[in-house]
């Protein structure tokens, strides 16, 4: 095998495939990246027991062939290569990498021991890469981090007709985002699965700017393919708690204010909030008063707002959770649907929301 390629293109391709490599594995070959050069293309593939990634890029292929090398070592080399054309060639039992005056050698791993990559599941339809990346980012902040509850570390992905619903919860908050997608011509069957949040976030970021992405799904895995990129990952067992009843508040107050000024004000007053100390929000028909801190270490700020319902309503939130909700909303206004202190509160992007973020309010400041 022998080919030439721009060092930046090589580095991006290797980084994309290497992201699925396991940190440790009883099978050393799973730490490898498979390089395949043919017909003016380079394919870089990596996999572990949970996920796979493959990317194809243009390259000048002088001699077709395949080589398996330690992926993280190749990635480290790619990070320090001089800019410009880079030549890679199999020389006996090693892969040589030459760029400018720099030259590296990498031992080859046995190809016969490398598992076959998983096939892409059945393609169910297409989703816009930019819209999908934005939606995943909006709900991923609410995904759990506790590996002892693995299903809560995932993002629910539900398909129903032309609607896709993404949702995540860590038991203390719940984010839901809906967006349009294009199912296959036959319409496809509804689906409801849970995808590891970390994996899906990485995939979504890489799909941004690539145009429509094909979404593939079966009972055990999900896959995406777009612009030379292909990746699969296993689904999580179990289901997230249903959000339908949680998001049905019944009779409640409705408040609205400009999102960006409120975000900045929460950041400002939260500097005196220590530990689990909340940020308190007092709404009136014309304003919102923010307060944080205790005794002499306090901060406050007023902002214009509207309140429909009671004359005044005070709620308090964990400042980190509140900021996560505010920063993932992408509209000028934020709408608060409020039951009262210590109860559920729903933040939305408008009267007919596509993005909803449920928070539990906490005990107001004394």
């Amino acid at each position: 095998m022998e080919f030439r390629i721009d060092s930046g293109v090589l580095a991006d391709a290797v980084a994309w495939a290497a992201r699925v490599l396991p940190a440790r594995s009883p099978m050393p070959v799973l730490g490898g990246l498979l390089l395949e050069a043919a017909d003016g293309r380079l394919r870089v593939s990596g996999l572990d027991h949970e996920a796979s990634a493959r990317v194809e890029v243009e390259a000048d292929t002088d001699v077709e062939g395949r080589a398996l090398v330690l992926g993280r070592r190749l990635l480290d080399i790619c990070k320090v290569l001089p800019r410009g054309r880079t030549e890679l060639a199999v020389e006996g039992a090693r892969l040589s990498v030459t760029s400018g005056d720099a030259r590296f050698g990498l031992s080859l791993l046995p190809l016969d021991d490398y598992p076959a990559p998983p096939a892409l599941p059945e393609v169910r339809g297409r989703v816009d890469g930019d819209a999908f990346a934005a939606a995943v980012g909006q709900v991923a902040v609410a995904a759990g981090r506790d590996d002892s509850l693995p299903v809560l570390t995932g993002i629910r992905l539900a398909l129903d007709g032309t609607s896709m619903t993404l949702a995540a919860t860590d038991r203390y908050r719940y984010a839901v985002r809906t967006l349009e997608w294009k199912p296959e011509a036959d319409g496809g069957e509804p689906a409801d699965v849970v995808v590891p949040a970390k994996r899906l976030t990485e995939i979504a970021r890489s799909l941004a700017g690539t145009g429509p992405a094909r979404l593939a799904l079966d009972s055990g895995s999900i896959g995406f393919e777009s612009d030379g990129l292909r990746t699969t990952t296993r689904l999580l067992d179990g289901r997230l708690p249903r959000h339908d009843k949680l998001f049905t508040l019944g009779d409640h107050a409705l408040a609205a204010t400009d999102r960006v000024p409120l975000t900045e004000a929460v950041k400002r007053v939260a500097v005196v909030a220590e530990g689990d100390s909340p940020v308190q929000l007092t709404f009136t028909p014309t304003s919102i008063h923010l307060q944080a801190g205790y005794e002499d270490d306090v901060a406050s700020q007023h902002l214009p707002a509207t309140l429909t319902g009671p004359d005044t309503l005070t709620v308090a939130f964990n400042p980190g959770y509140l900021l996560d909700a505010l920063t993932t909303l992408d509209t000028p206004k934020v709408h608060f649907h409020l039951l009262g202190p210590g109860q559920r509160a729903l933040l939305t992007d408008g009267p007919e929301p596509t993005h909803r973020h449920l928070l539990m309010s906490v005990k107001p400041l004394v």
Side-chain angles (χ1 to χ4, degrees):
M1 181 183 74
E2 184 176 342
F3 64 91
R4 284 165 286 119
I5 188 172
D6 180 80
S7 61
V9 174
L10 177 64
D12 289 343
V14 169
W16 157 256
R19 65 188 179 80
V20 301
L21 297 181
R24 298 181 183 86
S25 173
M27 297 177 60
V29 292
L30 288 184
L33 286 179
L34 180 63
L35 310 180
E36 301 172 278
D39 301 324
R41 306 284 291 177
L42 169 67
R43 177 185 294 177
V44 185
S45 306
L47 58 84
D48 68 3
H49 295 296
E50 303 295 330
S52 71
R54 191 189 80 185
V55 56
E56 289 189 8
V57 292
E58 293 184 357
D60 296 326
T61 52
D62 299 324
V63 179
E64 297 182 359
R66 306 165 75 228
L68 183 68
V69 297
L70 283 174
R72 299 194 188 281
R73 179 64 56 83
L74 179 59
L75 179 59
D76 289 340
I77 290 173
C78 288
K79 290 177 180 179
V80 298
L81 286 176
R83 292 187 177 183
R85 300 297 285 177
T86 299
E87 181 176 330
L88 292 87
V90 172
E91 298 176 347
R94 73 175 185 177
L95 176 74
S96 69
V97 183
T98 304
S99 184
D101 296 330
R103 182 179 173 88
F104 301 86
L106 276 174
S107 299
L108 297 178
L109 298 174
L111 280 168
D112 292 342
D113 296 339
Y114 195 64
L120 192 71
E122 178 188 359
V123 174
R124 301 291 299 272
R126 289 169 172 78
V127 63
D128 179 77
D130 287 331
F132 184 71
V136 170
Q138 288 174 318
V139 302
V141 295
R145 307 292 190 270
D146 185 358
D147 290 332
S148 66
L149 297 169
V151 70
L152 294 185
T153 66
I155 292 175
R156 177 191 178 209
L157 189 152
L159 306 175
D160 188 4
T162 60
S163 177
M164 175 187 294
T165 300
L166 300 169
T169 180
D170 60 3
R171 297 182 298 173
Y172 305 104
R173 48 191 171 160
Y174 208 136
V176 176
R177 176 75 160 84
T178 58
L179 68 157
E180 291 185 355
W181 82 302
K182 294 182 179 180
E184 291 290 90
D186 60 3
E189 297 181 358
D192 195 338
V193 298
V194 180
V195 189
K198 182 179 179 181
R199 296 282 194 196
L200 192 60
T201 300
E202 292 173 346
I203 292 169
R205 286 173 179 167
S206 66
L207 294 177
T210 63
R214 298 202 300 168
L215 186 156
L217 186 65
D218 61 23
S219 60
S221 64
I222 190 170
F224 295 87
E225 188 174 45
S226 177
D227 194 29
L229 305 176
R230 174 184 287 190
T231 185
T232 65
T233 189
R234 286 191 180 180
L235 302 174
L236 292 173
D237 294 328
R239 292 286 182 267
L240 293 187
R242 301 292 295 187
H243 65 268
D244 309 68
K245 291 183 178 180
L246 287 173
F247 282 38
T248 302
L249 301 185
D251 187 25
H252 63 276
L254 178 62
T257 188
D258 291 334
R259 183 182 62 86
V260 173
L262 177 61
T263 303
E264 295 303 316
V266 172
K267 291 178 182 178
R268 193 170 293 119
V269 302
V271 298
V272 299
E274 297 183 0
D276 295 329
S277 176
V279 169
Q280 178 173 290
L281 284 65
T282 299
F283 292 93
T284 73
T286 59
S287 69
I288 175 176
H289 176 72
L290 288 82
Q291 182 180 344
Y294 294 99
E295 298 180 350
D296 294 330
D297 297 327
V298 294
S300 64
Q301 184 171 345
H302 278 85
L303 293 173
T306 61
L307 176 66
T308 303
D311 293 333
T312 183
L313 182 61
T314 298
V315 290
F317 299 102
N318 176 300
Y321 291 171
L322 180 58
L323 283 173
D324 281 344
L326 291 172
T327 54
T328 54
L329 291 166
D330 58 2
T331 50
K333 291 277 187 181
V334 55
H335 297 255
F336 287 81
H337 304 254
L338 303 167
L339 290 173
Q343 300 187 62
R344 303 190 309 279
L346 190 63
L347 280 64
T348 69
D349 56 4
E352 298 181 0
T354 59
H355 182 194
R356 296 170 290 169
H357 202 113
L358 187 78
L359 296 176
M360 284 300 300
S361 61
V362 298
K363 184 178 179 182
L365 300 170
V366 177

